[in-house]
Amino acid sequence: MMAAIRKFSIGSLRFEEGSRVVLRADGSPTRLSFKEYVVMHELCTTGRLRTQITRNAHNLIYRLRKKLGLDAHIVVDWRDGYRLLNVIEEQDTADHGRPA
């Protein structure tokens, strides 16, 4: 049995595990670099990115905020990195052939 692909909503954006494309509400795609995908995946699945606040980390977060319009969603946690606010994991509503 294959593991389900986890899907997340952040405001009007939709992020799926395994995809480097984030979809906007109007369906338009925004492609993520490999590093942006890794950071976005960590933020969505755990709600935080535990890292030192370095120039490299700051620049990567800055690019994600600008590219995806996440200024109000990604906040600095000075103790251990960054947090993603208002992320919702979408539940799989398909019945997968199970009887009601």
Side-chain angles (χ1 to χ4, degrees):
M1 180 173 182
M2 287 183 53
I5 295 173
R6 295 172 71 188
K7 300 172 186 171
F8 302 89
S9 294
I10 310 103
S12 63
L13 301 174
R14 183 173 174 164
F15 173 79
E16 289 186 13
E17 274 187 319
S19 174
R20 287 180 35 196
V21 174
V22 173
L23 295 177
R24 297 183 183 280
D26 64 4
S28 63
T30 300
R31 186 155 174 77
L32 301 177
S33 71
F34 177 75
K35 286 183 180 181
E36 290 168 342
Y37 168 80
V38 170
V39 168
M40 193 69 180
H41 182 265
E42 185 70 16
L43 285 169
C44 285
T45 57
T46 67
R48 56 179 62 244
L49 176 65
R50 295 183 188 272
T51 186
Q52 291 182 342
I53 310 295
T54 63
R55 183 176 300 273
N56 287 339
H58 178 75
N59 287 338
L60 186 58
I61 293 295
Y62 174 83
R63 284 197 320 261
L64 268 177
R65 284 176 173 157
K66 294 304 170 198
K67 185 182 266 191
L68 300 175
L70 291 174
D71 287 342
H73 295 277
I74 301 176
V75 296
V76 175
D77 182 338
W78 292 106
R79 290 172 292 159
D80 62 1
Y82 298 90
R83 289 186 301 133
L84 181 62
L85 306 177
N86 306 318
V87 62
I88 299 169
E89 184 169 0
E90 298 176 5
Q91 300 300 314
D92 186 5
T93 56
D95 72 0
H96 301 288
R98 291 184 213 128

